[in-house]
Amino acid sequence: MSNNMDLGYDMFCYQCEQTAGGKGCTKLGVCGKTPEIANLQDLLIYQLKGISFYARHILDSGLNVDKSVVSFIENCLFTTLTNVNFNVDDHVHLLKQSQDIKNNLKNIVGTTDYITPSAAYELPETKADMLRDAPMAGIMYDKTLDPDIRSLRQTILYGLKGISAYGHQARELSYYSDNVDNFYIIALEAITDNTLTVEELIRLTLKTGDMAIEIMKKLDEANTSIYGNPSPHPVNVHIKKGPFIIVSGHDLKDLEMLLKQTEGLGINIYTHGEMLPSHGYEGLKKYKHLAGNFGGAWQDQQKQFDNLPGCILMTTNCLMRPRDTYKDRIYSTNVVGWDGIKYIEKKPDGEKDFSEIIKQSLELGGFTEEQEVKEILVGFGHEAALSHAGELVEAVKSKQIRHFFLIGGCDGARPGRSYFTDFATMVPDDCMILTLACGKYRFNKLDFGTVAGLPRLLDIGQCNDVYSAILIANALADAFDTDVNGLPLSLIVSWYEQKAVADLLALLSLGIKNIYLGPTLPAFLSPNVLQYLVDTFQLRLISNPEDDIKTCLGQAV
């Protein structure tokens, strides 16, 4: 069997925005992923396709697939999402589990009329042999595959990876969607089906967007049912004196468990990255030692975590290679991992023991000086924002508000991302800015003032809170007796990894047009698929802030 060197590269991955040369990482992932990890992840996805072949037969027979199998599929998809897991042993363990699951399902299904290569594949025992087999699972292995078919299959897969992140968060809170659970299986099996046409795969791509909306709705239900609807809340973005733990990622349950276990111990808990919106939830902000937010977006963590006199907990992505200066004080949990960092397991009852990170944070002592308080406002989820719907509608009718701009999405390290800062600062004073996800760190500490008596910048929440943005937009559209495309609203979206792909597909599945996307377009979109999106949805690549703002406002450029 050939190896990747025979194919001209050590690995191939183009699932994130920062892929090498805008084409694909072939020697080492820009994210820090090694060829070893990349190839094991390819093989893991291949195994999920084989599992789904048998699971699809079970669904087609009218039976349900055991939720433990669905949870495994979801966790494996999430494990392979950008900046989640870089631990070789974790991947080998998951691969061995995948073969056991596939064998069990095969025994349930019995003999079939045909069998796909991924279903027939038998995983070898050793890592070396797994790596020997991995090239056949690679994206570019089949050189004869139609590039549009490959593009759509990968778009669907990356949408599934994004959905899996949200599905994992919801399932941690005991919420899930049967439709989404079944769709993992249906879609993974479908992208191995050589009889499906481009048109059929386009429909499946948009169906992936439907499922993204459904899982975001389910996660919103989970978060708001357990922690309450977010409400506006000032958050200190400067540090306080004393021991501390920084919590990064997206998982509210991990934050809650840590807050409970640190209560009364004199430890300050800071959110980081996409955990910032946690401060809007009553069930979390009630803890007085939830002291504020530390740092900015994920791509600055190596510099900001350097030599910190405290500990860091990574609950979900985005994890970057930990520097030696803090590798001994960063912990991971859930599916997150890196070789050599401490991992906090979930106990059978679903709880976690954070005593080790608590003990270390107390020993480190924390910050020795206190900074002057500087606050920003978060917590404008759909419930809070729509409580002002009447005021917003009246402000538009009276021309106090001319336009709404949603500026948000995944942040990243490319210099071109200064576009989003410049865009936000150039938005006219009679326009309102909605923002979500870590892309907001480009401008969320700036003072935008007010318009029509409301803050000009409304922080809606995490990347999954695209669902909140959709509810807000739909409510405004109803008030103006139009659809979302008829609103004075422009979407300026930055993307980096696969949750952003799921979010984009969600918006497209609703028929939303004229989305500005950047800083570059996805490398996995073939020219024909991209042209379809441009023709059907008027999807646009960002250009420069001045011209794009003029176009959004209907002014001549």
Side-chain angles (χ1 to χ4, degrees):
M1 185 170 294
S2 65
N3 58 41
N4 275 339
M5 290 302 292
D6 296 332
L7 300 174
Y9 42 75
D10 299 328
M11 58 179 280
F12 187 86
C13 181
Y14 60 4
Q15 68 178 6
C16 87
E17 190 271 333
Q18 291 181 177
T19 193
K23 296 180 179 179
C25 294
T26 58
K27 298 294 182 186
L28 181 72
V30 173
C31 64
K33 182 165 59 177
T34 63
E36 184 177 38
I37 291 292
N39 291 321
L40 290 174
Q41 289 188 349
D42 286 346
L43 194 58
L44 185 56
I45 294 296
Y46 192 70
Q47 284 284 79
L48 295 186
K49 292 173 182 175
I51 288 171
S52 296
F53 170 82
Y54 292 112
R56 178 69 187 265
H57 275 76
I58 293 172
L59 290 179
D60 288 348
S61 69
L63 300 175
N64 294 320
V65 175
D66 193 277
K67 289 299 183 187
S68 65
V69 174
V70 176
S71 182
F72 179 81
I73 292 171
E74 185 173 76
N75 284 351
C76 288
L77 286 168
F78 192 12
T79 296
T80 67
L81 190 144
T82 302
N83 289 96
V84 174
N85 194 300
F86 302 81
N87 188 298
V88 172
D89 290 343
D90 288 350
H91 287 83
V92 172
H93 177 67
L94 289 171
L95 279 162
K96 290 182 176 180
Q97 280 186 282
S98 72
Q99 188 63 43
D100 290 340
I101 291 171
K102 189 163 67 171
N103 289 341
N104 289 339
L105 293 177
K106 180 180 179 181
N107 290 335
I108 293 171
V109 171
T111 305
T112 58
D113 293 337
Y114 72 98
I115 189 168
T116 59
S118 57
Y121 175 67
E122 289 286 338
L123 185 80
E125 285 295 318
T126 68
K127 181 183 73 174
D129 287 339
M130 293 177 194
L131 289 169
R132 179 204 67 203
D133 289 353
M136 70 178 182
I139 297 167
M140 296 297 180
Y141 182 70
D142 182 1
K143 298 296 184 184
T144 66
L145 186 63
D146 181 282
D148 298 331
I149 296 288
R150 177 184 286 113
S151 175
L152 289 164
R153 285 178 174 180
Q154 293 306 122
T155 302
I156 292 163
L157 175 61
Y158 300 150
L160 290 176
K161 290 188 180 191
I163 288 169
S164 77
Y166 300 146
H168 171 88
Q169 286 174 253
R171 208 176 302 270
E172 287 295 295
L173 296 170
S174 300
Y175 283 71
Y176 57 87
S177 160
D178 287 326
N179 287 336
V180 173
D181 286 354
N182 291 341
F183 187 73
Y184 288 136
I185 293 163
I186 293 166
L188 282 166
E189 190 273 335
I191 60 177
T192 68
D193 186 347
N194 292 324
T195 69
L196 294 185
T197 64
V198 166
E199 291 74 18
E200 288 170 319
L201 286 172
I202 286 173
R203 288 196 291 273
L204 188 62
T205 302
L206 294 178
K207 180 69 172 178
T208 307
D210 291 339
M211 292 298 102
I213 294 171
E214 179 150 344
I215 199 61
M216 287 190 282
K217 178 181 180 181
K218 186 60 65 173
L219 179 54
D220 178 81
E221 180 186 346
N223 287 337
T224 56
S225 296
I226 294 171
Y227 302 112
N229 278 294
S231 59
H233 186 73
V235 180
N236 185 13
V237 294
H238 282 175
I239 60 172
K240 300 178 71 174
K241 184 178 179 179
F244 65 89
I245 298 171
I246 294 165
V247 186
S248 191
H250 307 73
D251 200 295
L252 303 190
K253 185 176 181 181
D254 284 325
L255 176 60
E256 180 191 29
M257 286 189 286
L258 182 64
L259 287 167
K260 285 180 178 178
Q261 292 180 37
T262 51
E263 202 164 19
L265 298 181
I267 298 174
N268 292 317
I269 304 298
Y270 297 98
T271 55
H272 172 266
E274 286 251 58
M275 291 298 277
L276 170 62
S278 307
H279 294 268
Y281 292 91
E282 188 58 46
L284 298 171
K285 65 185 177 185
K286 68 182 181 182
Y287 292 95
K288 302 304 181 188
H289 61 302
L290 183 58
N293 189 75
F294 176 88
W298 66 269
Q299 75 275 4
D300 296 326
Q301 66 186 257
Q302 289 176 321
K303 178 175 63 179
Q304 293 176 345
F305 293 169
D306 207 15
N307 286 306
L308 276 179
C311 297
I312 305 112
L313 174 66
M314 301 295 303
T315 66
T316 58
N317 68 325
C318 290
L319 172 65
M320 298 177 71
R321 177 190 292 275
R323 291 181 176 175
D324 290 341
T325 51
Y326 63 87
K327 191 172 184 179
D328 65 335
R329 61 197 69 182
I330 185 169
Y331 295 69
S332 70
T333 190
N334 297 323
V335 301
V336 187
W338 194 291
D339 290 333
I341 69 171
K342 300 164 189 171
Y343 182 80
I344 298 173
E345 296 271 3
K346 183 198 291 184
K347 296 190 290 187
D349 62 0
E351 293 297 305
K352 296 179 183 179
D353 181 1
F354 291 106
S355 58
E356 186 178 358
I357 190 172
I358 291 170
K359 180 174 180 288
Q360 188 177 18
S361 68
L362 289 169
E363 291 171 349
L364 288 166
F367 296 118
T368 56
E369 296 182 6
E370 191 145 337
Q371 294 178 341
E372 183 181 351
V373 172
K374 176 180 171 58
E375 293 181 331
I376 61 174
L377 198 61
V378 303
F380 287 95
H382 54 84
E383 185 84 4
L386 290 177
S387 70
H388 297 284
E391 299 162 68
L392 292 171
V393 170
E394 185 54 39
V396 173
K397 289 180 176 179
S398 64
K399 302 191 185 309
Q400 293 180 74
I401 296 179
R402 181 171 28 152
H403 204 82
F404 296 91
F405 291 91
L406 189 149
I407 311 172
C410 296
D411 204 1
R414 282 189 194 272
R417 289 180 179 269
S418 60
Y419 166 95
F420 299 97
T421 312
D422 296 338
F423 192 107
T425 57
M426 291 179 188
V427 167
D429 290 344
D430 59 353
C431 300
M432 180 171 278
I433 301 171
L434 311 177
T435 193
L436 49 80
C438 63
K440 62 174 164 269
Y441 280 105
R442 290 278 164 178
F443 49 82
N444 70 334
K445 293 173 186 175
L446 303 177
D447 184 3
F448 287 92
T450 61
V451 61
L454 296 168
R456 280 188 64 228
L457 179 69
L458 301 184
D459 185 343
I460 297 173
Q462 294 183 344
C463 50
N464 50 280
D465 289 309
V466 161
Y467 177 70
S468 272
I470 290 168
L471 291 184
I472 294 166
N474 282 336
L476 291 174
D478 288 344
F480 286 104
D481 195 23
T482 183
D483 60 14
V484 172
N485 292 317
L487 286 173
L489 168 68
S490 298
L491 281 68
I492 318 298
V493 178
S494 57
W495 83 282
Y496 171 68
E497 41 87 324
Q498 296 80 64
K499 293 197 299 297
V501 175
D503 293 348
L504 178 63
L505 294 181
L507 295 171
L508 297 181
S509 74
L510 293 170
I512 295 175
K513 298 182 178 181
N514 295 303
I515 298 170
Y516 287 75
L517 186 66
T520 62
L521 293 175
F524 53 82
L525 293 181
S526 67
N528 288 335
V529 171
L530 177 59
Q531 193 60 51
Y532 170 82
L533 296 177
V534 170
D535 292 344
T536 308
F537 301 102
Q538 287 76 61
L539 186 68
R540 303 165 181 251
L541 176 63
I542 61 172
S543 60
N544 64 77
E546 297 94 336
D547 288 347
D548 288 347
I549 288 174
K550 287 180 180 178
T551 304
C552 291
L553 295 176
Q555 301 170 346
V557 176

